[in-house]
């Protein structure tokens, strides 16, 4: 290797000629104090409910539970069944539009502060720093041949990483009714073990090894964000006009003709994805603002105003246009309208969840049967679902303008088990001469909590 290549390699390792990492090097980002660093630590608490959720109880039962066996989802005192799956569509629509509106206003703010990959990686790298030291020490350790000290440090680090990954995987499965006791006693199904292993392995590999490569190559959001931002989106931006031409301080003084950027590369050193913000926006930037903390600290030390790197829009930085308030931007208005619609439908659905569901299916083969006395018989299947956690007694009746319409059997109180659908067959009989132009039949099902009606038809030869 030539002296020039060695020099370039050394500069690369020190962050002097750093470019976006494509996976050939491990990024050991420097940690510097600042308001955005503090915000990232606070954002970790967004995921605290994830680890607390399985332990919450409601009416002596697990408050949040995905009961796959019984096809039920319990959310405190709300029970959601497959028949209400449309609400999941509203939840997904709400979250996707929320992500879009956040991106339109503040770029990839979700990636920088709230994404589980970002937070888990932040935790893993913090543990790595506690055990292996500063970025320079970690790079040096990675290059060293295997020794007892290196093996010891790596073993401790990976053991903690695996423990966190396993804890994450097991916590996820607790939402599906599995308990810690099941794991301790080995009383879990092979499916549960496989899913736990996949989630744990994913957390361990993505947060511990792939890190920013997960964002760059696996997550599609990095690619599609370009369609969501515009010149009004507020992003971490380098003030090119103030900073260029870059130049290092000489004997502690600025050189005439140079800008405010002292080319210290601290903004690159702290970036968790290896982006040089001075080269402009890249899809690797997760808008975490850590480069702003680093630059402000340097500017303060050299006696220059802060804000060489700051959150601003392209319109403000390049064209000196004021940032429009978000509610005056057409794209944001459209996103907000869809967001409000999805949320309204979701809230309405939750507030109006009926404890019982009723469907009436008319027998199609045949539509009717003509009995020996000339009367017409229709067969109906009443499918009644009990959405409560208790046995539900119901009564059945019907009404119609058809004269002398009667049931083959008398109706009795029917008990519907909790979370189950019960089919009740009803045979209605009437003379064809008694059936006029109005052949509607309304079935009425009553429980203690609710009364449901369902309209259907009574078929005869002349109604076909």
């Amino acid at each position: 290797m030539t002296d020039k290549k060695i020099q370039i390699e050394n500069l690369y390792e020190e962050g002097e000629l750093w470019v976006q990492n494509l996976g050939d090097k491990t990024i050991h980002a420097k940690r510097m104090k600042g308001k955005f660093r503090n915000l990232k630590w606070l954002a970790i608490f967004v995921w605290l409910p994830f680890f607390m959720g399985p332990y919450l109880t409601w009416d002596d039962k697990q408050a949040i539970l995905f009961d796959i066996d019984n096809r039920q989802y319990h959310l405190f005192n709300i029970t959601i069944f497959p028949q209400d799956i449309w609400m999941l569509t509203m939840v997904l629509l709400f979250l996707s539009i929320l992500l879009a509106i956040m991106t339109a206003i503040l770029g990839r703010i979700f990636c920088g502060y709230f994404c589980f990959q970002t937070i888990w990686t932040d935790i893993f790298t913090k543990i790595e720093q506690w055990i292996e030291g500063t970025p320079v020490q970690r790079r040096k350790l990675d290059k060293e041949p295997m020794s007892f000290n290196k093996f010891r440090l790596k073993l401790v680090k990976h053991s903690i990483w695996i423990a966190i990954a396993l804890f994450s995987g097991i916590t996820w499965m607790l939402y599906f009714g599995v308990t810690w006791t099941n794991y301790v006693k080995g009383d879990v199904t092979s499916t549960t073990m496989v899913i736990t292993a996949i989630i744990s392995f994913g957390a361990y590999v993505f947060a511990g090894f792939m890190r920013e490569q997960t964002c760059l190559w696996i997550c599609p959001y990095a690619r599609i964000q370009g369609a969501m931002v515009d010149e009004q989106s507020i992003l971490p931006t380098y003030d090119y006009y103030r900073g260029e031409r870059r130049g290092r301080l000489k004997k502690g003084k600025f050189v005439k003709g140079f800008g405010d950027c002292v080319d210290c590369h601290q903004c690159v050193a702290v970036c968790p994805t290896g982006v040089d913000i001075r080269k402009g926006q890249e899809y690797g930037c997760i808008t975490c603002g850590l480069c702003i903390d680093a630059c402000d600290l340097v500017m303060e030390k050299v006696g220059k105003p802060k804000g060489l790197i700051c959150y601003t829009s392209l319109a403000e930085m390049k064209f000196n246009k004021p940032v429009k308030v978000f509610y005056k931007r057409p794209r944001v208005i459209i996103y907000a309208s869809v967001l409000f619609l999805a949320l309204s439908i979701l809230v309405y659905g939750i507030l109006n969840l009926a404890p019982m569901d009723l469907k009436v299916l008319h027998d199609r083969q045949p539509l009717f049967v003509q009995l020996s006395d000339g009367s017409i018989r229709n067969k109906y299947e009443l499918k009644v679902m009990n959405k409560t956690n208790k046995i539900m007694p119901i009564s059945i009746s019907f009404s119609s303008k058809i004269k002398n319409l009667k049931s083959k059997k008398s109706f009795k109180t029917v008990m519907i088990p909790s979370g189950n659908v019960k089919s009740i067959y009803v045979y209605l009989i009437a003379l064809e001469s008694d059936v006029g132009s109005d052949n509607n039949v309304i079935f009425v099902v009553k429980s203690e909590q609710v009364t449901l009606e369902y309209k259907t038809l009574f078929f005869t030869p002349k109604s076909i």
Side-chain angles (χ1 to χ4, degrees):
M1 185 180 292
T2 64
D3 293 340
K4 186 176 181 180
K5 286 185 177 181
I6 293 174
Q7 185 179 8
I8 292 175
E9 179 67 14
N10 291 336
L11 290 173
Y12 181 87
E13 286 295 330
E14 295 170 10
E16 298 291 331
L17 297 178
W18 193 278
V19 294
Q20 183 166 290
N21 184 25
L22 301 180
D24 54 333
K25 299 286 183 180
T26 299
I27 292 180
H28 294 290
K30 187 177 181 180
R31 291 178 182 264
M32 300 180 71
K33 295 181 180 179
K35 59 183 178 181
F36 295 107
R37 176 73 263 177
N38 294 334
L39 284 175
K40 280 182 68 67
W41 284 124
L42 288 174
I44 290 178
F45 290 99
V46 171
W47 283 92
L48 187 60
F50 169 75
F51 292 100
M52 295 176 59
Y55 306 102
L56 299 176
T57 58
W58 189 269
D59 288 339
D60 297 327
K61 294 183 179 180
Q62 187 170 327
I64 305 174
L65 176 64
F66 295 91
D67 191 347
I68 301 298
D69 292 338
N70 296 314
R71 297 188 300 172
Q72 301 175 10
Y73 172 49
H74 301 280
L75 181 62
F76 294 94
N77 65 331
I78 299 173
T79 301
I80 300 175
F81 292 87
Q83 286 77 4
D84 304 307
I85 197 65
W86 62 270
M87 287 194 293
L88 176 61
T89 304
M90 290 298 104
V91 171
L92 295 177
L93 177 62
F94 173 81
L95 294 177
S96 61
I97 297 300
L98 179 62
L99 189 61
I101 199 171
M102 289 171 62
T103 306
I105 297 173
L106 293 170
R108 291 174 63 185
I109 197 75
F110 172 80
C111 296
Y113 292 92
F114 307 111
C115 175
F116 62 90
Q117 168 65 18
T118 299
I119 291 177
W120 261 248
T121 300
D122 220 14
I123 295 172
F124 275 42
T125 52
K126 183 62 176 178
I127 292 169
E128 185 175 62
Q129 178 178 296
W130 285 339
I131 296 172
E132 297 183 0
T134 64
V136 174
Q137 291 173 324
R138 298 203 297 271
R139 293 191 192 101
K140 183 179 178 181
L141 183 66
D142 289 343
K143 290 182 177 181
E144 289 180 2
M146 183 57 66
S147 63
F148 175 77
N149 182 59
K150 181 176 181 178
F151 177 79
R152 177 181 60 84
L153 294 176
K154 296 291 184 182
L155 178 63
V156 173
K157 180 184 74 173
H158 287 281
S159 297
I160 297 175
W161 281 3
I162 292 172
I164 295 174
L166 277 174
F167 184 59
S168 302
I170 292 174
T171 298
W172 173 254
M173 294 309 300
L174 296 182
Y175 283 99
F176 295 87
V178 185
T179 65
W180 280 97
T181 303
N182 296 138
Y183 281 102
V184 173
K185 293 183 177 180
D187 185 22
V188 291
T189 64
S190 57
T191 302
T192 299
M193 290 300 297
V194 169
I195 296 175
T196 304
I198 290 174
I199 295 174
S200 302
F201 182 75
Y204 174 64
V205 172
F206 290 157
F209 294 91
M210 295 190 65
R211 301 182 185 180
E212 80 289 341
Q213 299 303 308
T214 304
C215 307
L216 295 176
W217 308 117
I218 296 179
C219 179
Y221 183 51
R223 296 294 194 276
I224 65 176
Q225 67 153 338
M228 297 184 183
V229 299
D230 54 30
E231 65 177 21
Q232 292 291 333
S233 301
I234 300 175
L235 308 169
T237 306
Y238 169 66
D239 191 342
Y240 177 89
Y241 306 100
R242 174 187 158 189
E244 301 298 316
R245 185 166 58 107
R246 307 174 203 165
R248 290 185 176 274
L249 295 175
K250 292 186 177 180
K251 297 181 180 180
K253 296 182 179 180
F254 284 91
V255 178
K256 186 177 180 180
F258 283 179
D260 284 356
C261 179
V262 297
D263 209 22
C264 64
H265 289 268
Q266 293 303 301
C267 57
V268 183
V270 299
C271 181
T273 60
V275 168
D276 189 343
I277 193 67
R278 298 171 300 174
K279 296 179 180 179
Q281 281 295 323
E282 297 185 37
Y283 70 89
C285 177
I286 59 174
T287 67
C288 61
L290 297 182
C291 54
I292 300 177
D293 285 340
C295 188
D296 283 350
L297 185 61
V298 173
M299 290 295 103
E300 187 177 10
K301 288 182 178 179
V302 299
K304 288 288 184 176
K306 296 180 180 180
L308 180 59
I309 303 175
C310 62
Y311 270 105
T312 187
S313 67
L314 177 64
E316 184 178 25
M317 177 63 69
K318 188 173 182 179
F319 305 109
N320 200 27
K321 296 179 180 179
V323 179
K324 290 183 180 179
V325 290
F326 67 89
Y327 54 81
K328 291 185 178 180
R329 295 166 58 187
R331 176 181 294 190
V332 177
I333 293 173
I334 294 172
Y335 286 158
S337 300
V338 178
L339 186 73
F340 179 75
L341 178 63
L343 182 61
S344 300
I345 295 174
L346 180 62
V347 171
Y348 175 82
I350 291 175
L351 295 179
N352 292 274
L353 277 177
M356 178 175 64
D357 188 41
L358 170 65
K359 288 185 179 179
V360 178
L361 305 178
H362 192 289
D363 198 354
R364 295 286 180 180
Q365 295 181 348
L367 279 174
F368 60 87
V369 174
Q370 190 160 21
L371 304 179
S372 58
D373 61 355
S375 60
I376 305 298
R377 186 183 72 192
N378 281 210
K379 179 183 177 182
Y380 304 88
E381 181 184 2
L382 278 64
K383 304 187 81 170
V384 184
M385 181 174 188
N386 177 7
K387 294 184 177 182
T388 68
N389 55 5
K390 298 179 181 178
I391 297 176
M392 177 184 290
I394 63 167
S395 61
I396 302 171
S397 61
F398 67 92
S399 63
S400 178
K401 292 184 178 180
I402 300 173
K403 296 180 181 179
N404 301 317
L405 182 65
K406 60 183 180 181
S407 173
K408 181 179 178 181
K409 295 181 180 180
S410 60
F411 294 119
K412 298 180 180 179
T413 300
V414 180
M415 310 301 289
I416 312 295
S418 172
N420 284 321
V421 178
K422 189 163 187 175
S423 294
I424 304 164
Y425 295 95
V426 177
Y427 298 86
L428 298 184
I429 302 172
L431 293 173
E432 184 175 4
S433 58
D434 290 336
V435 181
S437 58
D438 188 352
N439 62 336
N440 291 318
V441 178
I442 300 175
F443 284 97
V444 181
V445 176
K446 291 184 178 181
S447 69
E448 294 179 357
Q449 296 100 332
V450 68
T451 299
L452 298 180
E453 296 183 354
Y454 198 103
K455 182 186 287 188
T456 184
L457 298 174
F458 186 88
F459 290 96
T460 62
K462 66 180 181 182
S463 64
I464 299 178

